[in-house]
Amino acid sequence: MSSQTQSAPTSKTRSAFTITAIILAVIVIAFFLFSNLYADVLWYSQTGYLEVLTTQWIATAVMFMIGFVAMAVPVGVSLLIAFRARPIYAKLNAQLEGYQQVVEPLRKLAMVGIPVLLGIFGGVSSASAWPVALQWLNRSSFGETDPQFGLDISFYFYELPMYHSIVGFASAVLIISFIGALATSYLYGALSVQGREVRISRSARVQLAITAGVFFALQALSIWLDQYTTLYSASQGFLQTGASYTEANATIPGRAILAGIAAIVAILFIVTAIIGRWRLPMIGTALLLISGLVVGNLYPWIVQRFQVDPNARSYESEYIDRSIQATRDAYGVSDVDEVPYSATTDAEPGALRADATTTANIRILDPAIAPAAFAQLEQFKQYYQFGSHLDVDRYDIDGETQDTVIAVRELNQSGLGESQSWYNNAVVYTHGYGVVAAFGNQRAADGQPVFLESGIPSTGDLGEYEPRVYFGEDSPEYSIVGAPEGSDDIELDYPSGGEDSDQNATTTFDGDGGPVLDNIFKKLVYAVKFQSEQIFLASDVTDESQILYDREPLDRVAKVAPYLTLDSDVYPAIVDERIVWIVDGYTTGANYPYSQVEQLSSAIADTYTPAPQFALDDINYIRNSVKATVDAYDGSVNLYAWDDEDPVLQTWNKIFPNTLLPQSDMTVDLLDHVRYPADLFKVQREILGSYHVTDAGSFYSSDDQWISPEDPVSDTGSLQPPYYLTMQVPGTDDPAFTLYSTFIPRGTADASRSVLTGYLTANSDAGPDYGKLTLLTLPKQDTIPGPGQVQNSFNTDPIVANQLALLQQGDTEVNLGNLLTLPVGGGLLYVQPVYVQSTSGTQYPLLRKVLVSFGDEIAFEDTLDEALDTLFGGDSGAEAGDGEVPVTPDVPVDPDAPVDPDAEVDVPSDNAELDSALADYKSALADRNAAYADNDLVAAAEADQAMVDAIERAIAATE
């Protein structure tokens, strides 16, 4: 047998193996892609929003096909025409003949492959524009027109972007078609260059000239459309956004002229296709370029430099008025209620009597400091956790509305340490448990929070509710829950034997929270999706198992409502006996004529919300159009149309019908917990820093610009965040849960002054006044200290500074809480809680003191109630929420003092319980004095509590 005979079977075997390997690789890759797509179908189907996914897929597919055909067909036709119209006997040079010999064997493939490849690129580009196309098809009228062209605002939101997209895509198609035809004509001799002479066949001339003519016709349309973009683009003049005098009187007319010139050039190219003379279109093209420089750039510059700049205030006045009105409308601040507020600085006795409700609800529990105390007192096990910043809400407790600081006890699998395994992480430790809530206006005698809901199982004033948290802000990537009926419970529910016990209660999820793994194929799909073979192999993954994933509330809402911009602060609430996460959704836009553009992520940045490195989310229109809820137990998502008059929401509701519920479907319990969203409020305060001025002349002079102050308790230079408080704002009839922020004059770092100029509030209670913005404007001639000045006064006051220094001695440190500003007593009251925390051992903050300021007066006491009385001449006229906290006077004791042998010895009474209580009190008092001598404030706080307990027992023994 020859060697050739032996190698033939070997070669065939290798070829077969290679083909098989390629086929298998394609199958594996295809299955990976299919797994993700099918998992999406299962997820959306389970949540009830499959229509959202299919609408996106269908729109993407249709737009891809449109883009593919719109790119591939013209390019292919252009190549085909150029090839078929080639000269049969063209004389080519040696180089072109060489090129032809290389290209010719691949010509048929290239004639199909090049258009198909370019069509794919065009399809991908077009597919990404599906939101633009769907909004254009389903556009809703704003009912308002722009002041320049008189067009409905919807034209700028929906029609103009669509027209620009079409023109841009078509221009790209024509350029590529022109290049393809040019290259083909040159390669096959229809176009030749010999020295300075260019020869072109009649067929190539007609094709290239018509292509160029259509291209310039599109440019004429594009330039014409550019007139309208000036209304939401940067201005050459004073305005940040919109057409000022120069744009309205030079740029816009100039673009109309340029569009006409481009149209003439297009006609000249068509004429060239007929008569064969290229000189006219070349001259026309040069004229267009020169006109673009002169009419499009030079003339507007001359108008701005020599006509507008010397008389800018008068020339720009009309356009500034346009900007003020449009910006206030677009950001929803046109109806802000401005109330002059002549803040007094004299702290008179009884001054707070008229503000009793506000005073009683002053929050002294800082949600940014409290997490450590919540974790120490209520975490119980290492596999639980609370957020780094707690949420503020309000609840009806015994018929009274109480501001509360609330947190969800979520799962923390990293706390398991070495006990982590696939089984524990995916099957056993699947959920958190319960909420912890504390009174915002109270503190215990030892400085701890006063909880109104706590413990495991949860007990307190919030009533019965489903405590299990399968969906939260810190839930695991995925969990597998559920089991056949009669099976043993294996999911850890809560530690039933206390903090130090290993006994645990277990449960089995019985809701509808995720796709059911009821067949082998689904298990395989999710094993591929999460890269875990255990999902496929584990015996505890049964046909009744559900897989929970995409569990963060923001992620779930973003998937079912991809058109919404979501508020960064998701908060929990007990609603209808369930824990739900409430998410605020915004509809936004960047094409509102004359409205100032803001970078959303930069505008909302403050102490608790970091600023981005690169902000790419410009907006000039925003509405809080949707309130969404995510059930913490089963993950169900509900979208409520909160602002059903918003035309942007109306458009998206047409695109995704049956996904929005009307506001009337919101239960009373849910309405009790909605609030004005903080991100929207921060954007609006940024706008009102400039646009509270409605006079064009004053706006131009920038003589009354405001800014939010820096956070006085932060060293990062970030802005002070807004705060939620229940208060009665001056100018309103009733107290309400309110979001507020302050203003100081805008200035450079060297010239800034921390004096109050304004105080902005938003009503957060559902009802006719929800969202009402009230702006208290302070007299310009008065100097009312701002947060920075007040904090400086606190820090430099000799008495306060000395006491703070004493508090920080030894193994303790002082943390200053949020500095609150309240318009009460005819002036502005500042309140700041002061926390003390050990620096070693068990560390968590205790609220030990409260700083208050009114005008130039300062008080520093153990409780807010006592501090207010001290500040207002011995009687503030109202009670704070911590008025029941006993204040133990400081009794300095020298532990080294000799014992007096003649001192009277206590003689036991006939009341054993009283004697025991008095003895315990003396012991606790000695412990307290010793703790103060050692500067151990944590031990002192514990001794204080022991003294209070002993007094209560003594009183009970004498009754």
Side-chain angles (χ1 to χ4, degrees):
M1 184 180 293
S2 68
S3 60
Q4 291 180 350
T5 305
Q6 293 176 346
S7 62
T10 303
S11 177
K12 290 181 180 180
T13 301
R14 289 177 179 175
S15 298
F17 178 79
T18 301
I19 294 173
T20 302
I22 292 174
I23 293 174
L24 289 175
V26 170
I27 293 174
V28 170
I29 294 173
F31 186 76
F32 270 83
L33 295 175
F34 173 78
S35 295
N36 286 318
L37 296 178
Y38 186 55
D40 283 341
V41 171
L42 294 174
W43 189 93
Y44 277 94
S45 180
Q46 186 277 323
T47 57
Y49 290 91
L50 182 60
E51 181 184 0
V52 174
L53 180 65
T54 56
T55 298
Q56 294 180 74
W57 281 4
I58 293 171
T60 300
V62 170
M63 291 298 293
F64 177 87
M65 292 306 300
I66 291 174
F68 178 86
V69 172
M71 175 66 77
V73 171
V75 171
V77 169
S78 180
L79 293 176
L80 183 61
I81 291 174
F83 174 75
R84 289 189 173 181
R86 70 193 186 282
I88 302 300
Y89 303 107
K91 184 178 180 180
L92 304 176
N93 58 42
Q95 187 177 21
L96 282 179
E97 287 182 350
Y99 289 154
Q100 276 196 15
Q101 292 176 1
V102 173
V103 170
E104 191 60 28
L106 302 173
R107 178 179 56 78
K108 292 183 178 180
L109 178 62
M111 294 290 284
V112 175
I114 291 176
V116 168
L117 181 62
L118 291 173
I120 292 174
F121 284 112
V124 171
S125 175
S126 179
S128 63
W130 69 264
V132 177
L134 288 187
Q135 288 183 87
W136 175 71
L137 290 171
N138 297 276
R139 56 192 180 274
S140 300
S141 172
F142 275 64
E144 299 175 6
T145 58
D146 77 86
Q148 180 66 32
F149 298 103
L151 299 173
D152 191 272
I153 304 299
S154 62
F155 171 81
Y156 300 92
F157 270 63
Y158 309 127
E159 297 178 52
L160 192 56
M162 184 64 178
Y163 300 153
H164 269 304
S165 297
I166 293 173
V167 171
F169 187 88
S171 297
V173 171
L174 287 169
I175 290 174
I176 294 173
S177 299
F178 184 88
I179 293 174
L182 187 69
T184 304
S185 297
Y186 179 74
L187 183 62
Y188 287 96
L191 174 68
S192 62
V193 180
Q194 297 179 358
R196 299 179 61 182
E197 184 180 3
V198 178
R199 293 185 177 182
I200 184 170
S201 68
R202 180 179 180 278
S203 58
R205 183 196 74 221
V206 170
Q207 181 182 4
L208 294 176
I210 291 177
T211 303
V214 176
F215 174 80
F216 276 96
L218 283 175
Q219 301 320 297
L221 179 57
S222 178
I223 296 170
W224 182 266
L225 293 176
D226 285 344
Q227 294 179 91
Y228 305 107
T229 63
T230 58
L231 270 60
Y232 55 82
S233 303
S235 170
Q236 293 187 50
F238 173 78
L239 297 181
Q240 186 232 47
T241 306
S244 62
Y245 181 90
T246 298
E247 281 78 21
N249 294 276
T251 303
I252 291 175
R255 288 180 178 175
I257 294 171
L258 290 175
I261 296 174
I264 293 173
V265 173
I267 295 173
L268 293 177
F269 272 102
I270 301 300
V271 171
T272 294
I274 299 173
I275 66 174
R277 295 184 177 274
W278 290 94
R279 179 171 298 179
L280 289 178
M282 294 298 102
I283 294 175
T285 303
L287 176 63
L288 178 62
L289 294 175
I290 295 172
S291 299
L293 294 174
V294 175
V295 179
N297 294 288
L298 181 60
Y299 176 62
W301 180 84
I302 292 174
V303 171
Q304 180 67 37
R305 180 69 177 84
F306 297 103
Q307 186 175 358
V308 177
D309 286 350
N311 308 282
R313 181 162 179 160
S314 59
Y315 272 79
E316 301 282 30
S317 177
E318 175 187 354
Y319 305 96
I320 293 174
D321 282 333
R322 293 180 180 183
S323 178
I324 292 173
Q325 184 62 47
T327 301
R328 288 168 66 94
D329 288 342
Y331 287 95
V333 299
S334 58
D335 294 329
V336 62
D337 186 15
E338 295 193 22
V339 178
Y341 189 64
S342 300
T344 180
T345 57
D346 297 326
E348 300 291 341
L352 302 185
R353 187 165 289 111
D355 298 292
T357 302
T358 300
T359 305
N361 284 284
I362 295 176
R363 180 174 50 75
I364 56 175
L365 186 61
D366 187 344
I369 295 179
F374 274 49
Q376 184 64 37
L377 301 172
E378 288 294 326
Q379 183 170 305
F380 293 111
K381 290 291 186 178
Q382 76 280 5
Y383 48 77
Y384 289 130
Q385 65 179 335
F386 295 104
S388 60
H389 187 277
L390 307 185
D391 292 292
V392 178
D393 200 354
R394 69 286 199 198
Y395 287 85
D396 186 277
I397 307 297
D398 297 329
E400 294 185 1
T401 300
Q402 294 282 352
D403 287 7
T404 62
V405 175
I406 188 170
V408 173
R409 188 185 290 108
E410 294 205 57
L411 190 62
N412 176 25
Q413 290 182 343
S414 62
L416 294 172
E418 296 181 356
S419 297
Q420 289 193 81
S421 64
W422 180 89
Y423 183 81
N424 277 341
N425 288 354
V427 179
V428 178
Y429 293 90
T430 59
H431 60 279
Y433 197 92
V435 301
V436 176
F439 290 96
N441 62 343
Q442 298 182 26
R443 48 155 284 197
D446 60 352
Q448 293 184 7
V450 178
F451 293 106
L452 57 92
E453 187 75 23
S454 60
I456 292 184
S458 300
T459 58
D461 297 323
L462 300 185
E464 296 292 330
Y465 64 92
E466 171 55 63
R468 296 167 184 85
V469 182
Y470 285 89
F471 295 84
E473 294 182 285
D474 294 298
S475 295
E477 181 183 16
Y478 71 92
S479 293
I480 297 176
V481 298
E485 186 176 353
S487 300
D488 293 335
D489 296 333
I490 58 176
E491 297 177 48
L492 173 70
D493 207 14
Y494 58 87
S496 61
E499 182 177 359
D500 299 323
S501 173
D502 292 331
Q503 297 180 6
N504 295 317
T506 54
T507 188
T508 297
F509 180 80
D510 63 355
D512 181 14
V516 179
L517 304 178
D518 54 2
N519 58 54
I520 293 177
F521 184 71
K522 289 181 181 178
K523 295 175 184 178
L524 182 60
V525 165
Y526 282 103
V528 171
K529 178 178 177 63
F530 292 108
Q531 300 293 292
S532 174
E533 72 281 359
Q534 300 292 343
I535 296 176
F536 184 75
L537 300 174
S539 60
D540 284 303
V541 181
T542 68
D543 289 348
E544 283 74 25
S545 295
Q546 300 176 40
I547 185 165
L548 313 181
Y549 62 99
D550 288 338
R551 302 162 74 175
E552 188 173 348
L554 281 177
D555 291 342
R556 295 182 74 79
V557 176
K559 289 187 70 171
V560 303
Y563 53 90
L564 291 178
T565 299
L566 302 180
D567 193 272
S568 60
D569 187 15
V570 179
Y571 63 99
I574 305 298
V575 175
D576 301 318
E577 300 182 351
R578 310 278 285 195
I579 303 174
V580 299
W581 299 94
I582 301 178
V583 184
D584 283 286
Y586 309 117
T587 47
T588 61
N591 293 0
Y592 198 100
Y594 280 101
S595 177
Q596 175 168 305
V597 173
E598 291 288 339
Q599 293 176 333
L600 179 60
S601 53
S602 296
I604 67 174
D606 57 23
T607 302
Y608 305 144
T609 308
Q613 292 184 342
F614 302 100
L616 302 175
D617 48 3
D618 288 352
I619 64 167
N620 68 357
Y621 173 89
I622 186 170
R623 290 290 184 272
N624 178 207
S625 53
V626 172
K627 299 281 187 184
T629 62
V630 178
D631 191 288
Y633 183 75
D634 61 20
S636 56
V637 181
N638 287 321
L639 305 173
Y640 298 97
W642 186 251
D643 183 2
D644 55 9
E645 295 182 358
D646 173 32
V648 179
L649 182 65
Q650 291 172 358
T651 295
W652 283 109
N653 195 28
K654 295 175 186 177
I655 297 171
F656 299 118
N658 307 317
T659 59
L660 288 173
L661 299 173
Q663 186 183 138
S664 58
D665 281 5
M666 299 177 74
T667 66
V668 173
D669 211 7
L670 176 57
L671 289 171
D672 285 342
H673 293 284
V674 299
R675 67 187 193 187
Y676 200 77
D679 285 356
L680 174 60
F681 185 76
K682 286 186 277 190
V683 172
Q684 290 175 326
R685 76 176 179 180
E686 178 73 15
I687 290 298
L688 284 173
S690 298
Y691 286 88
H692 69 278
V693 177
T694 56
D695 177 73
S698 178
F699 192 95
Y700 178 82
S701 300
S702 300
D703 56 10
D704 194 21
Q705 298 286 297
W706 300 347
I707 192 173
S708 299
E710 292 184 359
D711 191 345
V713 297
S714 172
D715 57 3
T716 62
S718 54
L719 297 183
Q720 186 180 38
Y723 297 118
Y724 290 98
L725 294 171
T726 293
M727 69 169 79
Q728 183 169 351
V729 179
T732 61
D733 297 329
D734 300 297
F737 191 60
T738 303
L739 185 60
Y740 86 86
S741 186
T742 57
F743 290 109
I744 62 174
R746 184 186 298 273
T748 61
D750 296 333
S752 62
R753 297 174 64 237
S754 183
V755 295
L756 281 189
T757 55
Y759 187 95
L760 180 66
T761 69
N763 188 311
S764 288
D765 285 337
D769 289 333
Y770 173 86
K772 178 183 178 182
L773 296 175
T774 302
L775 178 62
L776 304 183
T777 56
L778 281 72
K780 297 180 181 180
Q781 64 273 18
D782 293 341
T783 301
I784 308 299
Q789 283 192 11
V790 171
Q791 189 67 64
N792 182 70
S793 299
F794 285 162
N795 295 341
T796 58
D797 182 86
I799 297 176
V800 174
N802 288 334
Q803 292 195 48
L804 289 176
L806 289 173
L807 292 174
Q808 293 186 93
Q809 290 182 358
D811 294 332
T812 57
E813 63 180 5
V814 171
N815 293 322
L816 299 177
N818 44 206
L819 182 60
L820 305 178
T821 309
L822 297 101
V824 294
L828 288 159
L829 173 69
Y830 286 91
V831 177
Q832 184 172 50
V834 178
Y835 291 84
V836 177
Q837 179 173 320
S838 174
T839 57
S840 61
T842 301
Q843 303 175 27
Y844 65 95
L846 295 171
L847 178 55
R848 303 303 298 162
K849 295 282 187 178
V850 179
L851 278 162
V852 295
S853 173
F854 191 92
D856 296 327
E857 301 296 325
I858 294 175
F860 188 37
E861 303 294 345
D862 288 350
T863 67
L864 174 59
D865 195 64
E866 184 184 12
L868 293 177
D869 284 339
T870 301
L871 188 67
F872 290 95
D875 180 17
S876 67
E879 293 185 359
D882 62 349
E884 299 299 323
V885 176
V887 179
T888 306
D890 292 334
V891 181
V893 175
D894 184 358
D896 298 325
V899 178
D900 184 0
D902 298 326
E904 182 179 355
V905 179
D906 292 336
V907 179
S909 68
D910 294 333
N911 192 329
E913 292 182 1
L914 177 62
D915 292 340
S916 175
L918 293 175
D920 290 344
Y921 178 84
K922 288 184 177 181
S923 176
L925 178 61
D927 292 342
R928 177 180 184 275
N929 292 329
Y932 274 119
D934 295 337
N935 290 317
D936 188 348
L937 298 184
V938 174
E942 295 172 349
D944 280 342
Q945 184 61 47
M947 292 169 65
V948 172
D949 294 341
I951 291 173
E952 291 176 350
R953 286 165 43 214
I955 293 173
T958 59
E959 292 179 348

